[in-house]
């Protein structure tokens, strides 16, 4: 619960996370989806990075689209399809990130798995520039982008299109609007 939550009314809602429904009887209307996922549902992924949508650590999918969970009010995610990085749909990318050493400390690995899966579902054969652009909103201080490119190649080779997640409603293959601002990965 956030500091100023005493000023906001509480509501009950149901979150559908990774294919399971979770009733959350009291959520302050100002609490983020990230806060509810981590504090109320006890998920350790997505990560809590900056809290203002700039680092990408809290990346999830909301109705099949990448979204920064710290910017989404939990009440806006009620009765929608939320996929955390822990979802089985991201297993191939998770393995590729680990095998490529694309996240040596592991902090950005959950966000990378979501972003890589989304990229490969939108683009069959992305080049290095497309990969850098797709992963640009994720801040990483310990891996170079070459490892990220290798992780994408490994995920593509492993057949990420068979990972099981569904594209969002109305998905026409265009680049989804990311909720966090893009910047060049370190």
């Amino acid at each position: 619960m956030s500091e100023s939550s005493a000023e906001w009314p509480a509501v009950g809602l149901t979150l559908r996370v990774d294919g399971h429904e979770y009733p959350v009887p009291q959520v302050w209307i100002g609490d983020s989806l990230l806060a509810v996922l981590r504090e109320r549902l006890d998920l350790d992924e997505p990560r809590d990075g900056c809290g203002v949508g700039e680092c990408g650590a809290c990346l999830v999918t909301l109705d099949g689209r990448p979204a920064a969970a710290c910017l989404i009010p939990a009440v806006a995610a009620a009765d929608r399809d939320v996929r955390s990085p822990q979802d089985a749909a991201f297993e191939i990318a998770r393995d590729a990130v680990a095998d490529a050493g694309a996240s040596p400390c592991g902090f950005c690995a959950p966000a990378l798995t979501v972003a890589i899966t989304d990229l490969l579902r939108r683009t069959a054969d992305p080049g290095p520039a497309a990969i850098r652009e797709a992963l640009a909103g994720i801040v990483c201080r310990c891996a170079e982008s070459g490892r990220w490119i290798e992780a994408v190649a490994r995920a593509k080779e492993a057949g990420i299109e068979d990972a099981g997640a569904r594209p969002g409603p109305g998905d026409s293959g265009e680049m989804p609007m990311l909720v966090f601002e893009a910047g060049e990965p370190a």
Side-chain angles (χ1 to χ4, degrees):
M1 192 177 335
S2 61
E3 289 179 31
S4 59
S5 62
E7 300 169 15
W8 300 327
V11 297
L13 56 87
T14 299
L15 289 178
R16 191 171 46 247
V17 180
D18 300 337
H20 304 286
E21 292 204 1
Y22 297 94
V24 187
Q26 287 216 271
V27 173
W28 299 100
I29 63 168
D31 279 344
S32 69
L33 175 59
L34 176 64
V36 173
L37 291 174
R38 292 186 59 83
E39 296 169 14
R40 303 295 295 280
L41 301 184
D42 293 323
L43 297 180
D44 60 353
E45 294 176 3
R47 304 277 198 238
D48 187 355
C50 67
V52 294
E54 293 184 5
C55 73
C58 65
L59 195 61
V60 297
T61 62
L62 184 61
D63 293 334
R65 302 276 189 189
C70 71
L71 296 180
I72 306 292
V75 295
D79 300 316
R80 295 175 70 186
D81 183 40
V82 177
R83 299 287 168 161
S84 78
Q86 297 178 167
D87 187 68
F90 303 113
E91 186 174 342
I92 291 173
R94 188 173 23 257
D95 291 345
V97 167
D99 293 346
S103 180
C105 78
F107 190 78
C108 68
L112 281 175
T113 64
V114 173
I116 288 171
T117 301
D118 177 66
L119 170 65
L120 290 175
R121 290 201 173 129
R122 287 184 293 104
T123 308
D125 191 22
I131 293 169
R132 284 187 184 96
E133 182 179 341
L135 305 180
I138 300 170
V139 174
C140 177
R141 292 192 169 102
C142 62
E144 72 279 350
S145 61
R147 289 187 186 192
W148 290 13
I149 293 168
E150 181 183 342
V152 172
R154 287 175 183 250
K156 178 183 168 204
E157 184 177 301
I160 204 146
E161 63 277 356
D162 299 326
R166 301 173 308 274
D171 191 5
S172 61
E174 75 276 2
M175 173 88 169
M177 186 165 114
L178 297 176
V179 178
F180 52 85
E181 186 175 319
E184 186 65 23

